[in-house]
């Protein structure tokens, strides 16, 4: 994705990926004879989940990825479980033990280190750091909402309608901001688009929403623990992005924070 958005209009990249992913999910649902219909009682909740879990993340993170190295973007983005801890306590009065607070503190220290590095790297332009931190917070809130807002539709239908909802706003944004830059993707860009459509949107989102709906935010965090690690080192290998001491320190703190937090669930220990 970092490779693609460096030269291709970012909103259009996400839009194409989402539309193809939604079409793929839709075809699969038809073959399985799954229902697309969303009951009236669920529509407001589905919209709320789409805003916090997908729209805010996709819109803000795509520009942050352009400005940040892929490794730093991954580290900042995947502080999400710590924000889920905080959102659960504030929105749903979930009780956490001292270890959970320690995990949150470690994550905040890590993001502070990254903020300092970005301020130095971008000569006083920390907007990119903020653009990545804000969707991480929204994703954390969305994860908690996914657990507490119960909808009757399947994970596949939920993912389909979230993609459709977000695609509408991406289309509007792309027309308003980057329509003059529209062009046909290159072969490499098509590969990135198809990867995001098939793997990220059509597969990973369905699996993630299933995990988030069935486990606590803390327990579900285990499924994403290795993503920032992969982001840092794949960025070094594929894009020749340098790894700094601050990057490694922040990465280590986040992994420690998540390891501490995963031993704890609100009110009781998880059986998962």
């Amino acid at each position: 994705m970092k490779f693609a958005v460096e030269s291709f209009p970012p909103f259009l990249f996400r839009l194409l990926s989402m539309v193809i992913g939604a079409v793929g999910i839709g075809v699969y649902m038809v073959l399985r004879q799954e229902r697309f219909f969303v009951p009236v009682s669920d529509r407001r909740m589905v919209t709320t989940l789409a805003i916090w879990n997908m729209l805010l993340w996709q819109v803000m993170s795509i520009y942050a990825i352009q400005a940040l190295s892929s490794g730093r973007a991954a580290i900042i983005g995947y502080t999400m479980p710590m924000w889920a801890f905080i959102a659960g306590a504030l929105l749903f009065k979930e009780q956490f033990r001292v270890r959970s607070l320690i995990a949150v503190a470690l994550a905040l220290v890590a993001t502070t280190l990254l903020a300092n590095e970005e301020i130095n790297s971008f000569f006083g332009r920390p907007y990119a750091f903020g653009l990545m931190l804000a969707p991480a917070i929204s994703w954390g809130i969305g994860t908690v909402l996914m657990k507490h807002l119960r909808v009757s539709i399947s994970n596949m239908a939920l993912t389909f309608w979230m993609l459709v909802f977000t695609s509408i706003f991406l289309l509007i944004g792309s027309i308003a901001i980057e329509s003059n830059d529209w062009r046909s993707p290159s072969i490499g860009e098509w590969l990135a688009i198809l990867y995001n459509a098939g793997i990220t949107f059509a597969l990973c989102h369905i699996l993630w929403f299933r995990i988030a709906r069935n486990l606590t935010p803390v327990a579900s965090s285990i499924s994403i623990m290795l993503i920032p690690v992969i982001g840092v080192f794949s960025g070094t290998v594929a894009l020749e992005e340098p790894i700094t001491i601050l990057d490694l320190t922040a990465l280590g703190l986040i992994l420690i924070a998540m390891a501490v937090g995963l031993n704890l669930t609100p009110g009781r220990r998880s059986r998962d």
Side-chain angles (χ1 to χ4, degrees), residues 97 216 264-271:
R97 300 179 185 176
T216 64
L264 189 68
T265 58
R268 60 179 178 82
R269 290 187 178 276
S270 173
R271 296 180 181 179

Side-chain angles (χ1 to χ4, degrees), residues 4-262:
V5 299
E6 284 184 332
S7 57
F8 195 75
F11 271 73
L12 184 58
F13 171 80
R14 284 290 202 196
L15 176 62
L16 292 173
S17 299
M18 284 192 172
V19 169
I20 295 172
V23 170
I25 293 173
V27 170
Y28 188 71
M29 289 177 66
V30 170
L31 294 175
R32 288 174 53 91
Q33 298 183 333
E34 289 206 24
R35 296 183 62 188
F36 288 87
F37 180 74
V38 180
V40 175
S41 59
D42 285 348
R43 292 175 187 175
R44 183 174 180 179
M45 289 186 289
V46 170
T47 302
T48 300
L49 292 174
I51 292 171
W52 288 102
N53 282 281
M54 193 167 290
L55 178 62
L56 295 177
W57 171 269
Q58 300 298 340
V59 170
M60 289 185 284
S61 66
I62 194 70
Y63 280 104
I65 290 171
Q66 283 185 304
L68 295 167
S69 71
S70 61
R72 290 195 188 111
I75 292 173
I76 298 170
Y78 288 93
T79 59
M80 179 279 292
M82 307 307 130
W83 305 116
F85 291 167
I86 296 173
L90 294 178
L91 298 177
F92 296 99
K93 309 301 180 183
E94 294 178 347
Q95 298 298 315
F96 297 110
R97 300 179 185 176
V98 174
R99 294 181 66 175
S100 180
L101 297 177
I102 293 174
V104 172
L106 288 171
L108 292 176
V109 171
T111 54
T112 300
L113 290 176
L114 288 169
N116 179 70
E117 178 64 18
E118 291 309 322
I119 289 172
N120 293 331
S121 298
F122 292 97
F123 304 100
R125 293 184 297 147
Y127 69 91
F129 171 81
L131 277 178
M132 198 67 214
L133 184 61
I137 295 173
S138 75
W139 187 14
I141 295 172
T143 300
V144 174
L145 293 176
M146 187 72 72
K147 176 64 179 178
H148 289 275
L149 297 183
R150 293 296 183 179
V151 293
S152 60
I153 61 176
S154 68
N155 292 305
M156 210 167 292
L158 178 62
T159 306
F160 174 83
W161 287 115
M162 281 187 175
L163 290 173
V164 171
F165 177 84
T166 305
S167 295
I168 294 171
F169 288 90
L170 288 176
L171 176 60
I172 295 171
S174 186
I175 292 173
I177 298 173
E178 57 189 25
S179 58
N180 291 334
D181 299 322
W182 282 4
R183 61 175 176 80
S184 298
S186 66
I187 294 177
E189 289 163 349
W190 267 122
L191 291 175
I193 289 169
L194 293 175
Y195 176 87
N196 272 270
I199 303 300
T200 302
F201 293 123
L203 177 62
C204 292
H205 272 76
I206 292 174
L207 296 175
W208 169 249
F209 292 148
R210 180 173 182 178
I211 291 170
R213 291 175 75 178
N214 288 281
L215 302 180
T216 64
V218 181
S220 62
S221 301
I222 196 171
S223 64
I224 63 168
M225 282 185 67
L226 291 179
I227 295 178
V229 180
I230 295 171
V232 169
F233 291 101
S234 64
T236 299
V237 174
L239 302 176
E240 298 182 353
E241 295 173 346
I243 297 179
T244 69
I245 295 297
L246 284 177
D247 292 334
L248 293 175
T249 303
L251 176 61
L253 287 173
I254 287 175
L255 292 179
I256 293 171
M258 297 177 86
V260 171
L262 285 170

